[in-house]
Amino acid sequence: MEVGKRVLLIISGGIAAYKSLELIRDLRRRDIAVRCILTDAGSQFVTPLSLATLTEDKVYQDLFSLTDENEMGHIELSRDAGLLVVAPATANVLAKMRAGLADDLATTALLATDKPVFVAPSMNVRMWEHAATQENMSVLQDRGVQIIGPEEGDMACGEYGMGRMAEPETIAEAIESFFLEAHENIGQRSDKKLAGKKAIVTSGPTHEAIDPVRYLANHSSGRQGHAIAKALAAEGAETVLVSGPTQLPDPEGVTVTHVKSAEDMLAACEAALPADIVVCAAAVADWRVANPPQEKIKKNGTLPTLDLVENPDILAKISQKGKSRPALVIGFAAETEEVVAHAQAKLAKKGCDWIVANDVSPETGTFGGRDNTVHVIDSETIEDWPTLSKEAVGQKLASRIAIYLEKKS
Ligand code: PMT
């Protein structure tokens, strides 16, 4: 199955429809495109204008619209997405799905689709517990429909119990997992785009010893570098991740070398070469203490002086011209101001092929956070990417790498 990362989101008429706006934002952040069908009842709660603005796409409402049918017929609409999601899914729409009714655009698309369907039920607790709804859910589940939630809690009607729609983040996570799995399944088949290539990725901070118990470091969590390594491996590249100290588990399918200092990181990268692709996402300390003592520095009334020396520049070394230079060397630029201009200067200075610039000012939350807003820069172009999860940045970068190497070969 060819899986486009696009969801057809069907919004039916429940009070939780307002949460669909948050769901769309969350999905866009995960680099998943959304197209909406809004039922008549759904339009009592959210406007087509809000949905069109957030999805940057047309909102479909009418089964008998001549213009819509001309542009994209309801059958095509139901199959163009990789996944159909009904959120909120009211008791009414669930009953229609079970019965196979097709009396509006939403139910027609649900009946006509050949794609998986997720539903996020949302209704009053009595309606949820009603034998009819429970039977409908069980039949839908048997047919392969995946049910997300509902959750227990206070309801808009004033009652308490089961029936509240799952939070947008929970629904978005389930959708993202679906696409990740679908992507990995594609990867297990013969069309892995980076099969036969070797990649080295650096990630995390480095720790530079001050003495046996203290060190110099920075706020990198390793999330971005680890996500890139995982995405390259999912595309079929034999991937070596050289990681500074992080709290993260080793990504699946990746060979991980754990290091502490910049010098260790350089040695591990050199040991892993040759490679076709190198991505330096680690926040390597620029300096280390010249001669760290073997014993702990004592607090004896005088302030210690730290003599710093410059660390080797791993990215610049790997980028050096030569027969065994990797075909594609990518650096990252962590900047706090004039992000693109400073990154362009780094691209030239370090001699890499692309540089991925990100703003690491504390207010962006890039260090350690789940999202990243990057600009991918080469000698000719600057590509501004929207704010995406670090996993989505990893996948988008892996796809861009695959396209570049294919064109180059
Ligand atoms: O780890 P996270 O919390 O997910 O955060 C991600 C990140 C912000 C750390 C990451 O996206 C990032 O920007 N990594 C590069 C950080 C950095 O050190 O940037 P820099 O501008 O100081 O260095 C430029 C490039 O040279 C980087 O590719 C760096 O890996 C490399 N470098 C720097 C110094 C050195 N001695 N050796 C190097 O290889």
Side-chain angles (χ1 to χ4, degrees), residues 276-279 325-330 353-354 401 404-405 408:
D276 304 284
I277 308 150
V278 174
V279 184
R325 185 191 189 276
L328 181 60
V329 184
I330 305 172
D353 303 298
W354 304 351
I401 290 169
Y404 172 85
L405 290 180
K408 211 177 160 188

Side-chain angles (χ1 to χ4, degrees), residues 30-366:
R30 294 170 202 257
D31 202 24
I32 297 170
V34 186
R35 178 168 284 157
C36 290
I37 291 182
L38 181 62
T39 67
D40 279 351
S43 67
Q44 302 296 315
F45 297 92
V46 284
T47 68
L49 183 62
S50 320
L51 298 174
T53 308
L54 289 179
T55 56
E56 295 178 86
D57 202 345
K58 187 179 164 64
V59 175
Y60 292 81
Q61 291 182 271
D62 189 358
L63 180 58
F64 301 108
S65 157
L66 270 180
T67 35
D68 288 2
E69 282 295 308
N70 248 338
E71 281 170 23
M72 176 173 278
H74 59 271
I75 303 289
E76 199 184 338
L77 185 63
S78 74
R79 297 184 189 167
D80 156 78
L83 176 69
L84 270 66
V85 178
V86 191
T90 58
N92 182 48
V93 86
L94 291 165
K96 284 183 181 179
M97 282 173 73
R98 188 254 167 104
L101 291 181
D103 61 355
D104 64 3
L105 183 59
T107 46
T108 305
L110 284 161
L111 199 61
T113 191
D114 58 355
K115 296 291 164 36
V117 177
F118 287 8
V119 295
S122 168
M123 66 199 76
N124 166 273
V125 56
R126 301 275 166 256
M127 292 168 86
W128 174 250
E129 285 172 355
H130 196 285
T133 306
Q134 286 306 309
E135 205 186 296
N136 292 339
M137 297 316 298
S138 148
V139 171
L140 290 175
Q141 210 161 11
D142 288 348
R143 285 184 201 154
V145 171
Q146 186 170 321
I147 298 156
I148 309 166
E151 292 173 357
E152 193 177 326
D154 290 320
M155 309 199 139
C157 55
E159 288 189 68
Y160 180 91
M162 198 62 110
R164 225 169 63 163
M165 188 172 92
E167 287 307 315
E169 191 179 355
T170 311
I171 303 171
E173 268 167 15
I175 294 170
E176 185 176 44
S177 301
F178 164 81
F179 283 114
L180 278 176
E181 257 172 51
H183 188 74
E184 273 155 24
N185 289 341
I186 283 174
Q188 276 159 21
R189 300 208 314 255
S190 56
D191 47 359
K192 290 177 172 182
K193 294 194 206 107
L194 290 173
K197 303 285 182 210
K198 181 171 176 189
I200 302 172
V201 181
T202 70
S203 182
T206 61
H207 287 184
E208 309 298 332
I210 294 174
D211 67 15
V213 296
R214 305 180 180 96
Y215 56 83
L216 297 172
N218 61 62
H219 297 294
S220 168
S221 64
R223 285 178 80 159
Q224 186 59 85
H226 280 53
I228 294 166
K230 191 175 169 196
L232 290 169
E235 282 296 357
E238 176 198 343
T239 306
V240 177
L241 173 64
V242 181
S243 173
T246 75
Q247 303 293 318
L248 301 176
D250 293 348
E252 256 176 58
V254 171
T255 306
V256 187
T257 307
H258 295 276
V259 297
K260 282 204 172 125
S261 67
E263 287 182 306
D264 295 345
M265 190 172 269
L266 174 63
C269 287
E270 284 178 339
L273 284 166
D276 304 284
I277 308 150
V278 174
V279 184
C280 290
V284 185
D286 288 311
W287 308 281
R288 66 179 186 280
V289 174
N291 290 303
Q294 296 301 306
E295 289 88 34
K296 184 180 168 191
I297 301 172
K298 295 281 175 299
K299 218 172 141 189
N300 59 11
T302 53
L303 288 175
T305 309
L306 298 180
D307 276 337
L308 298 180
V309 289
E310 204 160 312
N311 265 329
D313 193 315
I314 303 164
L315 175 63
K317 271 188 189 291
I318 294 176
S319 300
Q320 274 167 9
K321 300 232 171 335
K323 266 197 201 146
S324 56
R325 185 191 189 276
L328 181 60
V329 184
I330 305 172
F332 266 72
E335 308 294 343
T336 52
E337 87 291 345
E338 292 186 57
V339 175
V340 170
H342 286 311
Q344 282 173 316
K346 256 176 206 166
L347 176 74
K349 186 171 157 214
K350 304 222 178 197
C352 52
D353 303 298
W354 304 351
I355 200 136
V356 183
N358 44 195
D359 189 338
V360 291
S361 313
E363 62 276 13
T364 63
T366 305

